[in-house]
Amino acid sequence: MEPSLARYIWTHTKKQQVGIVLIVLLSMIPYFMSFDLPKLIVNGPIQGRGFEQADATRPFLKLHYDLPFIGEVQFFHGFQLDRMQTLFALSFVFLLLVVINGLFKLYINTYKGRLGERMLRRIRFELVDRVLRFPPRYFKRVKSAEVATMVKDEVEPLGGFIGDAFLQPVLLGGQALTAMLFIMVQNFWLGMIAVVIVAIQIVLIPRMRRRLIVLGRERQLTARALSGRVGEIVDGIGTVHVHDTSNYERADIAARLGLIFKIRFDLYQWKFMVKFLNNFLAQLTPFLFYMIGGYLVILGRLDVGQLVAVISAYKDLPGPMKELIDWDQARQDVQVKYQQVVEQFTVEGVISPRIGALTVDDPGPMADPLSAINLSMADDGGAMLLDRISLQVKRGETVALVSTATGGAEALAEAFARLDWPNSGRVASGAEDLLELPEAVTGRRISYASSDVFLFHASLRDNLLYGLKHAPLTSVTYDGAAADQRRWNINEARRSGNTDLDVRSDWIDYASAGATGPHDLFEAIRRVLDAVVLSRDILDLGLRSSADLTRHSELAGRIVELRAALRTRLEHEGLSELVVPFEPGAYNKEATIGQNLLFGAAAGPELADRALAANPYFASVLKQAGLDRTFYEMGMEIAEQAIELFADLPPDHQFFQQLAFMSAEEIPAYETLLQRLKNRPYEGVSENDRAMIVSLSFAYIEPRHRFGLLSEELMGKIIAARNQFYENLPPDLQNAVERYDPAKYIAAATVMDNVLFGRVGNNHPDAPDRIRSIVYDILDELGLYSELLDVGLDFNVGAGGRRLTAGQRQKLDVARALLKRPDFLILNRPLSALDQRVQDKVLRNVLEEARRDGHSPAIVWVVTNPAMGMMFDRVVVFDLGRLVEDGTHETLLAGNGIFKELLS
Amino acid sequence: MLLKDEVGMLQRVPLFSGIEPAKLKLLAFTSDRVSYRAGEILFRQGDEGDAAYVILSGKADVLVDSDSGPIKVAEIVPNSIVGEIAILCNVYRTATVRAASPLEVLRIRKDHFLRLMREFPDMTIEMVRVLADRLSHTTADLIDARSAR
């Protein structure tokens, strides 16, 4: 990258920089005219100069100039206006100039801002583009948070500076020079004093600022290191807690913050010191003028008029000088930041742009064998991982790489996947060096999965399809405002040197997954998920999440059928009492009182959980039904019982899991509340306290809590209140709740709740498991299995996939590698988190799935257990970085080598 | 049956008879009320013990596997506890328990039971007393059985 910021800015914005200077110069004309105008107004119409006669008129807007050689030229005679008319005319001209100046300022600021933002966008894009092209080894040494902070924060000040980069020195330098010239014209020697002081400023101040630059650089480095450390703490939070090192981390962060504080404080001290000196020097000049000039005047060697003229001319010098020095400071500041970033991003062996160039068309299969030729690999410390290995893998072959602890088979897998580069020797596809092939070939025709999985913070589906998103395959057509927006996006992207590829295009390469489009892609997904034994997990996720009805309309449309099928099935198996269904006219004893009252799923915060009791409309319904007092008394009873039962227990006691009414932390609050309210009449209790107490009764389930608080009469009243609640539901609550309706799908509830449409009884210990397997059966029978799988695929896997287990992550990674249907499938201990039995099962499935439909990829699998070698055509054994055995499972077993030793 | 009735039932179980009612109420509250139909299995011989059961109503048979199929060795009636050995000593279930009629039980989870014992020494002492009592009965039975031979 360009090391000099000034040159970088000039290369990319020279036209705009010249343009802005020209515009600023143009804006000077009305600016200076507006200076002159007040004088004209005061002297002319207000004081009456030129209007001495009562009906005198003066020409207005008379355009005439004295041109050299030609003499006076008159363009326009002007209008003849009297005194009052002239006042108004001139005042309006003043107003006009105010508007014009304002508009110029607006335009210039907008222009500068846009210029800066475009450059910022360009530099950020360039930085990320470089990150995408760094050689693999670089990433072993950098912290991701540091790179992120460089791209995001450290280049940020550049945006503000770029608009002023060339404009300010031109403008301010011009102003300062003019002022200086003016002083010189008044009196040469006094002018020389000003020149000397300015020279001192120019020499001294930047020298003093050198320290500021050093400090600025330190500040940047320490701040970057801090964000790196914070990132590490977040990523390694488990390790911190496991080893009780949180205080060590606190100490480390405090030490860093102390250092940053010290640097920043030094910086401030110096900055203000420099400022002080600068101001002092600026004020020194008038002091010298007064003293030396005055002395000369008294001696009679200088006339007073000249001195006054010099002093008043000097007024215009310090302003521009100060701003110029400030500009210089800003320049140095951003230059340091820029250099720092550029240094970090200047790396040896950056991947050429050609390798990652966009290729829309299918590059065709990799028919040639993949071979390692005299390949040596070393780790970052220089230790040999592989020592001059030669090996060839042909398409259609299945190869197990068996490795002793220091064998180096993983390094070979990484070299095949281009994840690490050879120290010597090479990996070739046919005759061509693998590293010279574009990623459009290797990234589509070679798949790789390892035990070290990375998942993006997105849905399971997005992560699974990630391996297919090589190029935008459709051109999206936009109409109306969207089309304008798209055009604007393209233009702006090009102006900032960004790519204008449309991220909203369909990037999924259906053909490589063996599908023809979105409609039959799901089949391919289902097959790979089945192969890695992940479908059941995803179905579980699907049951527990709420379905997006725009995508899964079939599930919603057939919900009645589903519910009926579940009832029939339960009845058939004599398990009807496991689930108590929701019925509009009945009380569901297995549900809470709150659920029975609301009889629907809260779709917003207004009626959810604790907010329900506090909702004014809901409270009014209870009051009408005569239930407010009942629930209050019930709540008091529950509070008393709960506190009696739990008050002695420590807050972390596991019994609190059984207490549905309140959390352990809330017990003391309820204790004092109970004390306060105990003997107070109901009417004297505040709304807030009532809601606190009433909400306890809403969590009550009679068969579970068994306090004996629910009578037949009360249940009847609750049903009546429920109906009343829905009859007069105010418009602002219409969308806050979805009423349970046996014939309707409830979008706010999970799929499981929708299918059950009831509550699982409390008095059957294994009911949930039995019900779940029945639900799966029914979904399969009704052909809704894939729909549910699709709901599960919407599940967001969290940062780095942490919401999945390690085993699920690894399975997903293998599924992703399979989905591409590659020519070479490289698997590097891909299932290490699973037990051997499951590994074997997945291995068998993967071998079968990869070769489905006559496809014959090469499969290279670094196995965790030598016994797995049995399932491959060929077994290659590594020990101490060398290839020691190579043959079929039988031949190696028959020999007396390392493989046999490893097996026993 | 309400919580307070359950407490009354628990008090009648010898193991819990010496424990103050407030603690029994907590035990009852944190336990699950479970119902079984006749013929349903509470737990099987050889399973890992995860809970003890107090019979509230109904009857259950205790069955032990033998070469000639399961043999009924005892019958459990209301107010008695079953399955407590397995959660105290971490051994597998020594017998199968099957509901002989519609059965209402209180299922006390292992971790809750142990936690209570740890926290309320009175209860533990009571328990030890009952167990020792049972042991001495068993020993006496054994002596009787041997001398009868």
Side-chain angles (χ1 to χ4, degrees):
Chain A
M1 285 180 83
E2 174 58 57
S4 152
L5 176 63
R7 205 167 305 141
Y8 183 76
I9 297 175
W10 185 248
T11 323
H12 291 295
T13 63
K14 48 181 174 282
K15 260 193 225 156
Q16 288 86 339
Q17 296 286 0
V18 171
I20 187 88
V21 170
L22 288 179
I23 292 163
V24 169
L25 290 179
L26 190 66
S27 77
M28 290 293 160
I29 299 170
Y31 183 65
F32 283 111
M33 277 167 77
S34 69
F35 272 162
D36 200 36
L37 203 57
K39 198 177 76 193
L40 277 180
I41 296 176
V42 174
N43 290 350
I46 294 179
Q47 293 193 333
R49 196 180 298 166
F51 293 100
E52 283 79 7
Q53 271 85 41
D55 55 351
T57 58
R58 305 263 304 157
F60 177 72
L61 289 182
K62 181 173 156 190
L63 293 177
H64 67 111
Y65 296 98
D66 273 329
L67 297 178
F69 310 114
I70 301 170
E72 188 176 309
V73 181
Q74 185 145 342
F75 294 99
F76 182 57
H77 295 285
F79 309 101
Q80 290 295 325
L81 298 180
D82 68 16
R83 186 172 170 183
M84 205 52 91
Q85 286 169 327
T86 309
L87 175 70
F88 283 122
L90 286 176
S91 299
F92 274 105
V93 170
F94 182 78
L95 183 65
L96 185 71
L97 288 176
V98 167
V99 172
I100 290 175
N101 284 332
L103 288 176
F104 260 118
K105 208 162 208 167
L106 178 69
Y107 182 76
I108 290 166
N109 284 338
T110 317
Y111 194 102
K112 286 201 291 194
R114 193 175 50 195
L115 193 60
E117 291 305 320
R118 274 192 194 139
M119 274 304 274
L120 189 60
R121 181 174 174 180
R122 175 188 295 273
I123 190 167
R124 280 182 171 158
F125 183 78
E126 262 180 48
L127 293 179
V128 176
D129 176 63
R130 277 187 95 76
V131 171
L132 289 170
R133 295 195 287 119
F134 279 157
R137 270 174 208 190
Y138 176 80
F139 294 100
K140 292 186 179 163
R141 291 184 214 132
V142 292
K143 293 181 190 164
S144 54
E146 292 190 2
V147 176
T149 195
M150 283 191 268
V151 173
K152 186 188 150 287
D153 300 325
E154 295 189 16
V155 296
E156 174 100 49
L158 261 63
F161 175 75
I162 283 159
D164 284 331
F166 295 95
L167 177 67
Q168 286 288 74
V170 170
L171 208 63
L172 297 169
Q175 283 175 20
L177 267 180
T178 316
M180 188 64 91
L181 213 66
F182 201 64
I183 300 169
M184 295 290 262
V185 169
Q186 306 300 325
N187 184 293
F188 179 73
W189 292 110
L190 288 180
M192 281 316 282
I193 293 177
V195 170
V196 168
I197 299 284
V198 166
I200 293 175
Q201 268 178 306
I202 289 176
V203 174
L204 189 69
I205 301 294
R207 266 173 192 275
M208 290 187 67
R209 286 218 170 122
R210 266 183 216 159
R211 192 171 146 70
L212 283 181
I213 296 173
V214 174
L215 285 172
R217 181 173 298 153
E218 276 179 36
R219 176 179 64 178
Q220 192 178 354
L221 290 179
T222 47
R224 186 190 298 163
L226 176 75
S227 66
R229 281 294 292 141
V230 173
E232 262 188 340
I233 291 178
V234 174
D235 291 341
I237 190 70
T239 316
V240 172
H241 289 308
V242 163
H243 297 292
D244 178 32
T245 47
S246 64
N247 287 305
Y248 177 73
E249 295 297 345
R250 284 190 187 103
D252 181 63
I253 293 295
R256 283 171 194 277
L257 290 175
L259 184 65
I260 292 175
F261 172 80
K262 188 174 171 311
I263 293 168
R264 294 186 71 106
F265 187 61
D266 268 7
L267 203 65
Y268 280 122
Q269 277 179 311
W270 260 102
K271 208 161 155 179
F272 289 117
M273 181 72 193
V274 172
K275 215 165 202 166
F276 162 75
L277 201 73
N278 194 20
N279 284 340
F280 175 73
L281 286 175
Q283 295 302 316
L284 196 64
T285 319
F287 157 75
L288 291 174
F289 285 169
Y290 286 124
M291 194 172 74
I292 299 171
Y295 175 74
L296 292 176
V297 168
I298 294 168
L299 286 190
R301 307 235 298 261
L302 188 72
D303 91 63
V304 187
Q306 266 183 324
L307 182 61
V308 173
V310 165
I311 289 173
S312 72
Y314 182 73
K315 275 207 323 280
D316 294 334
L317 187 57
M321 276 303 290
K322 189 171 162 296
E323 280 183 54
L324 206 54
I325 286 170
D326 285 347
W327 171 84
D328 188 52
Q329 161 115 28
R331 180 186 68 82
Q332 284 175 343
D333 212 43
V334 293
Q335 170 74 23
V336 167
K337 289 208 159 97
Y338 177 79
Q339 261 172 357
Q340 275 292 323
V341 172
V342 167
E343 269 168 35
Q344 284 299 315
F345 278 77
T346 307
V347 177
E348 285 285 306
V350 169
I351 302 168
S352 131
R354 177 182 62 81
I355 302 288
L358 180 78
T359 311
V360 178
D361 301 323
D362 180 15
M366 275 173 81
D368 295 328
L370 201 58
S371 36
I373 302 160
N374 264 327
L375 178 72
S376 291
M377 308 278 289
D379 67 11
D380 226 27
M384 277 309 213
L385 297 174
L386 276 183
D387 195 9
R388 282 162 295 159
I389 296 288
S390 291
L391 175 78
Q392 194 175 64
V393 179
K394 294 189 192 69
R395 265 186 81 179
E397 234 183 340
T398 62
V399 185
L401 303 187
V402 179
S403 180
T404 59
T406 52
E410 294 98 329
L412 181 64
E414 286 183 4
F416 276 160
R418 279 170 77 155
L419 282 177
D420 208 352
W421 292 356
N423 269 45
S424 66
R426 63 196 188 107
V427 179
S429 161
E432 251 184 302
D433 193 325
L434 190 70
L435 292 178
E436 292 299 314
L437 282 177
E439 280 183 0
V441 176
T442 59
R444 297 180 202 193
R445 308 314 315 165
I446 300 179
S447 262
Y448 176 84
S450 72
S451 52
D452 181 23
V453 182
F454 186 83
L455 297 179
F456 291 92
H457 191 307
S459 69
L460 274 167
R461 181 185 296 98
D462 289 341
N463 272 296
L464 198 55
L465 297 179
Y466 189 79
L468 301 177
K469 296 181 179 177
H470 316 295
L473 293 179
T474 55
S475 57
V476 188
T477 43
Y478 298 92
D479 342 290
D484 293 340
Q485 179 67 32
R486 175 67 192 145
R487 254 196 306 281
W488 184 89
N489 284 345
I490 293 176
N491 279 334
E492 274 305 321
R494 287 187 183 155
R495 281 193 179 127
S496 315
N498 283 203
T499 179
D500 58 9
L501 301 177
D502 190 353
V503 76
R504 274 189 286 183
S505 159
D506 193 353
W507 287 68
I508 299 167
D509 182 0
Y510 297 101
S512 85
T516 54
H519 57 280
D520 59 352
L521 179 65
F522 191 79
E523 270 313 299
I525 292 180
R526 185 171 170 175
R527 273 195 300 265
V528 295
L529 289 178
D530 284 342
V532 299
V533 201
L534 192 60
S535 310
R536 188 62 187 251
D537 301 41
I538 296 178
L539 287 176
D540 278 349
L541 292 172
L543 270 188
R544 285 197 300 267
S545 42
S546 51
D548 174 2
L549 289 190
T550 51
R551 287 180 60 97
H552 309 292
S553 48
E554 202 189 344
L555 197 60
R558 295 177 62 186
I559 191 67
V560 178
E561 197 185 334
L562 255 170
R563 286 173 186 162
L566 179 71
R567 297 280 166 268
T568 321
R569 178 67 169 271
L570 286 174
E571 254 159 56
H572 185 71
E573 296 195 9
L575 297 170
S576 306
E577 79 257 30
L578 287 194
V579 182
V580 181
F582 287 123
E583 281 162 33
Y587 188 93
N588 187 329
K589 281 194 182 169
E590 296 290 352
T592 66
I593 289 185
Q595 283 160 349
N596 269 295
L597 277 168
L598 189 61
F599 201 69
E606 296 93 335
L607 297 173
D609 307 325
R610 285 286 168 94
L612 183 62
N615 185 277
Y617 171 68
F618 193 74
S620 77
V621 170
L622 290 188
K623 194 166 184 163
Q624 272 176 21
L627 280 171
D628 51 344
R629 202 174 179 127
T630 318
F631 285 139
Y632 176 77
E633 279 155 12
M634 190 192 248
M636 288 293 275
E637 173 78 25
I638 291 171
E640 251 171 75
Q641 297 256 19
I643 285 164
E644 182 199 329
L645 285 171
F646 285 86
D648 299 340
L649 299 183
D652 57 343
H653 201 289
Q654 69 207 61
F655 282 3
F656 279 108
Q657 288 167 6
Q658 302 293 114
L659 184 66
F661 308 107
M662 54 185 95
S663 68
E665 292 75 35
E666 286 172 322
I667 292 253
Y670 271 106
E671 229 174 334
T672 46
L673 189 65
L674 199 61
Q675 285 296 327
R676 196 147 53 78
L677 301 182
K678 208 150 196 185
N679 295 315
R680 200 179 289 185
Y682 176 68
E683 290 73 24
V685 180
S686 76
E687 293 280 324
N688 241 341
D689 291 348
R690 273 187 208 174
M692 284 265 290
I693 295 292
V694 167
S695 70
L696 295 180
S697 65
F698 286 175
Y700 183 75
I701 302 172
E702 177 74 32
R704 179 154 161 216
H705 301 120
R706 319 187 288 275
F707 291 158
L709 299 173
L710 198 65
S711 62
E712 286 295 331
E713 186 203 347
L714 182 57
M715 289 191 253
K717 277 189 181 176
I718 288 174
I719 296 164
R722 171 200 297 175
N723 293 330
Q724 210 164 21
F725 173 79
Y726 281 103
E727 261 164 39
N728 303 315
L729 196 63
D732 59 322
L733 290 179
Q734 294 283 4
N735 290 325
V737 61
E738 274 183 88
R739 186 177 188 169
Y740 289 150
D741 180 342
K744 227 178 73 194
Y745 191 90
I746 298 138
T750 64
V751 176
M752 186 66 171
D753 281 349
N754 264 298
V755 177
L756 276 185
F757 199 63
R759 286 283 171 262
V760 177
N762 281 297
N763 55 352
H764 301 277
D766 55 347
D769 288 340
R770 285 163 89 174
I771 299 258
R772 182 143 16 119
S773 62
I774 290 174
V775 168
Y776 285 139
D777 278 357
I778 290 172
L779 284 165
D780 208 13
E781 275 165 25
L782 294 184
L784 284 168
Y785 177 91
S786 353
E787 185 94 348
L788 181 64
L789 196 64
D790 207 35
V791 175
L793 285 172
D794 283 334
F795 180 77
N796 187 306
V797 300
R802 283 192 219 174
R803 292 178 72 195
L804 300 180
T805 65
Q808 287 172 332
R809 283 200 291 271
Q810 292 188 343
K811 286 173 173 179
L812 188 64
D813 197 27
V814 174
R816 176 159 73 185
L818 265 180
L819 189 60
K820 227 186 315 190
R821 313 223 76 197
D823 296 324
F824 289 88
L825 179 60
I826 317 283
L827 297 162
N828 190 356
R829 298 184 188 266
L831 302 165
S832 56
L834 305 174
D835 64 47
Q836 196 55 49
R837 198 177 45 83
V838 185
Q839 279 200 38
D840 287 346
K841 183 166 183 210
V842 175
L843 166 63
R844 249 189 311 271
N845 290 348
V846 167
L847 290 179
E848 190 184 321
E849 167 63 23
R851 288 184 286 192
R852 193 174 41 81
D853 299 341
H855 200 69
S856 62
I859 300 174
V860 177
W861 192 309
V862 182
V863 294
T864 41
N865 181 351
M868 290 161 82
M870 208 169 64
M871 290 191 258
F872 292 83
D873 301 343
R874 181 176 160 196
V875 176
V876 182
V877 186
F878 290 83
D879 184 34
L880 296 173
R882 291 206 185 82
L883 193 161
V884 286
E885 284 171 58
D886 184 351
T888 62
H889 187 256
E890 291 77 36
T891 53
L892 292 193
L893 213 54
N896 239 344
I898 292 184
F899 183 66
K900 198 167 180 193
E901 217 173 279
L902 283 171
L903 262 183
S904 58
Chain B
M1 191 179 291
L2 298 177
L3 198 58
K4 52 179 189 278
D5 306 324
E6 288 167 16
V7 175
M9 298 287 272
L10 282 178
Q11 270 173 324
R12 267 172 263 158
V13 177
L15 200 59
F16 300 124
S17 59
I19 300 172
E20 53 178 303
K23 301 301 170 232
L24 284 184
K25 194 170 175 187
L26 185 61
L27 183 65
F29 184 75
T30 53
S31 304
D32 306 316
R33 260 286 280 284
V34 186
S35 33
Y36 293 93
R37 282 178 293 183
E40 280 188 315
I41 306 279
L42 278 70
F43 53 80
R44 282 173 206 280
Q45 185 174 348
D47 283 354
E48 221 172 302
D50 59 346
Y53 299 81
V54 173
I55 311 293
L56 299 174
S57 69
K59 281 182 189 167
D61 295 335
V62 180
L63 308 167
V64 176
D65 291 343
S66 76
D67 299 338
S68 54
I71 315 171
K72 176 173 164 183
V73 292
E75 195 180 78
I76 317 170
V77 291
N79 295 337
S80 53
I81 185 165
V82 61
E84 79 282 16
I85 306 277
I87 65 175
L88 280 172
C89 333
N90 259 341
V91 294
Y92 292 109
R93 298 289 192 195
T94 51
T96 300
V97 173
R98 190 176 63 194
S101 68
L103 194 64
E104 284 281 313
V105 303
L106 206 55
R107 183 171 178 273
I108 306 172
R109 288 182 218 173
K110 178 180 174 176
D111 45 345
H112 289 181
F113 196 74
L114 295 179
R115 182 99 196 208
L116 271 179
M117 285 182 63
R118 214 169 297 136
E119 265 156 45
F120 304 112
D122 289 352
M123 176 173 153
T124 315
I125 292 168
E126 182 59 33
M127 194 105 50
V128 172
R129 213 179 54 73
V130 170
L131 288 175
D133 199 38
R134 239 190 247 174
L135 182 64
S136 77
H137 277 295
T138 314
T139 314
D141 286 351
L142 191 65
I143 292 168
D144 285 350
R146 288 230 172 125
S147 53
R149 222 179 352 185

